[in-house]
Amino acid sequence: MKKNQNFTFTTGVIAYPVLFVLLIWLVFWFEVRFGINLSKYGVYPQSLKGLRGVLFSPFIHGSITHIYHNTVPLFVLSMALFYFYRSIAWKVLFFGILFSGFLTWSIGRPSYHIGASGVIYVLVSFTFFKGVFAKHYRLVALSLLVVFLYGSMIWYTMPIKEGVSWEGHLSGLITGLIFALFFRKEIAKPEKYVWEHDDYNPDDDPFLKHFDKDGNFIEQIEQPEVRLDETEPKVYYHYVYKKEDSKT
């Protein structure tokens, strides 16, 4: 990420997450509409055929509850990813799917592992650790927000609930941490104010010229010089004197 890159809002910040989520819902609609079960295309550990799930599993969900609980945080976190880390967002998202899926394939139980929760854990982990490593106030604030919203997800990286792929969650958590370390120097810089630049000189600041040394505002009123042409008749003014000042 270039050092002069700033946090800016672009159409891709919303468009890409929306398209990603819509694709997941489209796959689910296809399953329901035609009565097809695509779970066999999920990750099946230690099986050559199960490797296809590394790419396909994030788009396959078992129920409406499953897809709902996955796509909402996926949308929020991917928006944050494209806003704060847009130059590396696609790398984190694409390779996050591959690495977390392959790690799940390596350590998972012999069963089909489906759902986008592994990708969610990649984004949660990456966003949190990246903000901590960056020590940038905006990114640290984002990390704290992620902890507040999704901090309880850490418990699901352990086998505490039947039917939950804790291996996929753990794989995503590890992948996100590795990415945060790998891209630790890729930090967007906030746009600097004029007084934050190294070559800033207060004496040259046109704004400060409106204030005195005590910080009081100096009202500057330009009064054009009035000159009477000698060829024009003289101007006489009518004054009203106070009674005590008048002389008769």
Side-chain angles (χ1 to χ4, degrees):
M1 189 176 293
K2 296 179 180 180
K3 291 184 178 181
N4 60 351
Q5 181 174 318
N6 303 312
F7 301 132
T8 55
F9 187 86
T10 62
T11 55
V13 172
I14 293 181
Y16 298 140
V18 166
L19 291 175
F20 190 24
V21 170
L22 283 179
L23 182 57
I24 293 175
W25 277 95
L26 182 62
V27 172
F28 183 75
W29 172 86
F30 182 82
E31 285 189 275
V32 175
R33 176 65 178 79
F34 297 100
I36 301 174
N37 189 350
L38 298 178
S39 296
K40 61 182 179 180
Y41 290 96
V43 175
Y44 196 92
Q46 291 89 52
S47 168
L48 186 61
K49 192 176 181 179
L51 275 173
R52 63 187 179 184
V54 171
L55 280 176
F56 298 147
S57 62
F59 303 94
I60 304 171
H61 293 80
S63 66
I64 189 70
T65 303
H66 187 203
I67 191 173
Y68 171 76
H69 286 297
N70 276 357
T71 51
V72 171
L74 181 63
F75 176 72
V76 174
L77 291 167
S78 56
M79 276 186 60
L81 179 69
F82 279 99
Y83 178 76
F84 290 99
Y85 307 104
R86 66 181 182 275
S87 68
I88 58 174
W90 284 114
K91 295 178 183 179
V92 173
L93 196 58
F94 179 72
F95 289 109
I97 292 174
L98 292 183
F99 290 176
S100 63
F102 181 76
L103 190 56
T104 302
W105 182 85
S106 302
I107 66 175
R109 293 162 290 176
S111 181
Y112 289 109
H113 298 252
I114 61 173
S117 56
V119 183
I120 294 172
Y121 274 82
V122 171
L123 298 180
V124 168
S125 177
F126 173 79
T127 304
F128 172 74
F129 289 110
K130 189 70 169 65
V132 172
F133 297 153
K135 297 179 181 179
H136 184 287
Y137 71 96
R138 293 186 185 178
L139 302 182
V140 171
L142 178 63
S143 297
L144 296 176
L145 180 62
V146 167
V147 170
F148 176 76
L149 294 176
Y150 306 112
S152 61
M153 292 173 59
I154 189 67
W155 299 110
Y156 293 98
T157 59
M158 296 176 283
I160 62 174
K161 188 175 181 180
E162 185 67 25
V164 175
S165 177
W166 63 270
E167 299 96 328
H169 298 169
L170 180 61
S171 299
L173 183 69
I174 295 173
T175 301
L177 173 59
I178 293 174
F179 283 5
L181 290 169
F182 183 78
F183 294 113
R184 64 184 180 276
K185 294 183 180 180
E186 303 292 329
I187 307 171
K189 300 296 182 182
E191 191 171 354
K192 288 185 176 182
Y193 294 103
V194 63
W195 56 82
E196 294 180 317
H197 292 278
D198 296 334
D199 57 349
Y200 171 69
N201 185 0
D203 296 331
D204 298 332
D205 193 331
F207 178 74
L208 293 182
K209 292 180 180 180
H210 295 281
F211 298 87
D212 60 19
K213 61 181 181 179
D214 298 323
N216 299 316
F217 180 71
I218 302 174
E219 186 177 2
Q220 296 179 346
I221 302 177
E222 296 185 358
Q223 297 181 346
E225 184 179 356
V226 179
R227 294 184 180 180
L228 297 177
D229 193 342
E230 294 180 355
T231 61
E232 293 182 357
K234 294 182 178 181
V235 178
Y236 292 90
Y237 297 92
H238 296 276
Y239 292 100
V240 178
Y241 294 94
K242 294 180 181 180
K243 187 174 182 181
E244 60 268 24
D245 294 334
S246 63
K247 295 181 179 181
T248 56

